[in-house]
Amino acid sequence: VSARTSDRCRAATHTAVAVDLRGYGHSADGPDPLDFKQDFCADLVAVMDHFGVPRAHLVGLSMGGRVARATALRVPDRVASLVLANTSPGFDALGPEDTARFIAERSSGIGTDTLPPGFGHQQALQMVAPNTAAHVLAAAAAPVQRVRPHTYRRVLEASTRQDRGDTLEHIGCPTLVVSGEHDRVYPMDVTRQLLQRIPHAQHAPIAGAGHLGHLEQPQAFHQA
């Protein structure tokens, strides 16, 4: 699993680490089949072990938030706090037919070698707030376009079918839930589920942001 740091991310007491989960960025795919919770949680723990960190503050956005939430429940002694940004409690509400339809719709047109041209741009359009600046839209689209088709399909399948049943009521670490005013992926009713179920969770709404507050409103996101 790849982890990247830089001098500008270092402070007197903390080091910021960006993690490439298996199949993403510079990390290898890992074996099939993928166990969404077990394998991705193991990736985070492996990065903590690499840096010799007994407990880490986990910040996860969207799927990253779901991985962070699952990690806090599986290995609570390794998680000091959670920031769950623009994320959800899982796919429990989807029945078998809806699950199959969801996977089919989102994997339609995905080839074996590369994602369709413009895929990242179309995905970014659905995530950002209306009237988002072109350079922000481009920054959101670029990493999506680089995702490997095999990774996209297998994570979509595993995530949708396996990210279920987490008892958010058992999360014991301090938790901040970040939401975007214009998030159409996980709108406010999904955020309310997190706030209602996670004990003592705090809420930081980001005005003017969609699903990608860290890109759309970075100053407000970092302040939160």
Side-chain angles (χ1 to χ4, degrees):
V1 177
S2 172
R4 292 160 282 124
T5 61
S6 68
D7 290 339
R8 62 190 176 85
C9 292
R10 295 181 183 275
T13 57
H14 293 79
T15 298
V17 177
V19 178
D20 287 338
L21 298 171
R22 64 186 68 193
Y24 291 93
H26 296 290
S27 293
D29 286 337
D32 282 324
L34 174 69
D35 186 311
F36 178 77
K37 294 181 186 178
Q38 178 175 305
D39 291 343
F40 282 162
C41 292
D43 290 348
L44 292 186
V45 172
V47 172
M48 294 184 219
D49 290 344
H50 171 79
F51 286 96
V53 176
R55 298 172 76 228
H57 302 278
L58 299 185
V59 181
L61 184 141
S62 195
M63 188 189 82
R66 295 193 283 115
V67 173
R69 171 251 297 159
T71 303
L73 288 168
R74 293 178 75 90
V75 285
D77 57 316
R78 302 299 301 271
V79 180
S81 70
L82 282 175
V83 176
L84 304 179
N86 304 90
T87 190
S88 82
F91 289 94
D92 298 81
L94 286 185
E97 292 185 2
D98 289 335
T99 296
R101 187 180 305 110
F102 181 89
I103 294 171
E105 289 175 350
R106 281 156 181 77
S107 58
S108 176
I110 304 300
T112 57
D113 298 322
T114 58
L115 294 174
F119 179 81
H121 181 76
Q122 290 301 319
Q123 293 292 309
L125 280 174
Q126 297 175 36
M127 291 189 284
V128 299
N131 303 315
T132 295
H135 73 279
V136 176
L137 186 61
V144 178
Q145 191 67 46
R146 289 195 297 266
V147 173
R148 305 163 204 167
H150 173 66
T151 294
Y152 178 86
R153 289 194 303 271
R154 77 170 187 155
V155 173
L156 172 66
E157 177 93 19
S159 168
T160 309
R161 296 192 185 282
Q162 299 170 15
D163 188 14
R164 300 163 184 262
D166 269 4
T167 51
L168 278 67
E169 296 77 7
H170 293 170
I171 293 176
C173 63
T175 302
L176 176 68
V177 177
V178 179
S179 65
E181 179 185 11
H182 302 290
D183 191 344
R184 291 167 287 173
V185 181
Y186 294 130
M188 191 59 206
D189 61 330
V190 177
T191 299
R192 290 192 190 97
Q193 295 177 40
L194 296 172
L195 294 170
Q196 290 167 0
R197 295 184 58 191
I198 300 174
H200 311 299
Q202 298 183 29
H203 183 210
I206 306 296
H211 188 61
L212 304 174
H214 65 302
L215 296 177
E216 300 172 80
Q217 301 292 338
Q219 183 174 357
F221 186 91
H222 293 316
Q223 281 182 335

